[in-house]
Amino acid sequence: MKAMIVEDTAILRKIMRDILKEFCGLEDGNIHEAADATKAINDYKHTRPDIVFLDISMPGMNGKEAIKHFLAIDADAKIVMFTGSRNETDVKECISAGAKDYLVKPLSPQRVQESVRKVVSSDKLPDILK
């Protein structure tokens, strides 16, 4: 399984990377990172991850706008939003735009595992999550 982390804060990308490695069984080579949505969208075309963890609030293009671009490239893109916002409107807008799940920071490893299981087909899950 391959994952992409789209987050403008380096330490939060590292936290998510560590969670994906330790609790979801992903290897470094299967985790791609981008500090902004524009780079992530360009990288997505080449890496085709099985799941994208996308921050809502970023400089430039925000996560809500980026969802549309990912889905234009791949209508089956599995996008999980993550943010510090507990704003119910944000959640509804992201899910309506095509996100499959929504995580609130600080990230819980168990909640990340649950989200991966929820949105990724079982044949692509690492053994640790089956």
Side-chain angles (χ1 to χ4, degrees), residues 36-124:
D36 65 76
T38 302
K39 179 179 182 338
I41 290 162
N42 288 330
D43 290 353
Y44 185 92
K45 296 172 188 173
H46 307 290
T47 60
R48 294 293 180 152
D50 300 297
I51 189 168
V52 176
F53 293 95
L54 179 60
D55 186 23
I56 290 180
S57 301
M58 294 180 287
M61 184 187 313
N62 68 39
K64 288 184 215 176
E65 296 167 355
I67 292 171
K68 297 171 190 157
H69 292 276
F70 283 112
L71 293 174
I73 296 166
D74 177 5
D76 295 323
K78 308 292 190 273
I79 302 167
V80 175
M81 304 306 291
F82 67 106
T83 184
S85 171
R86 296 183 187 273
N87 182 331
E88 192 173 313
T89 301
D90 284 340
V91 175
K92 288 179 180 176
E93 287 176 359
C94 291
I95 299 299
S96 292
K100 304 297 184 198
D101 203 358
Y102 191 95
L103 303 173
V104 178
K105 299 172 192 171
L107 297 169
S108 152
Q110 293 76 20
R111 183 65 183 92
V112 173
Q113 284 178 321
E114 177 185 313
S115 186
V116 171
R117 280 190 201 105
K118 176 180 174 181
V119 303
V120 175
S121 63
S122 61
D123 62 320
K124 292 188 177 187

Side-chain angles (χ1 to χ4, degrees), residues 3-9 12-18 20 31-36 40 49 51-55 82 107:
M4 177 180 280
I5 304 164
V6 187
E7 164 64 63
D8 59 311
T9 306
L12 294 175
R13 285 194 312 272
K14 182 186 180 331
I15 290 168
M16 178 60 92
R17 174 181 279 280
D18 290 347
L20 291 172
I31 303 171
H32 305 278
E33 296 181 25
D36 65 76
I51 189 168
V52 176
F53 293 95
L54 179 60
D55 186 23
F82 67 106
L107 297 169

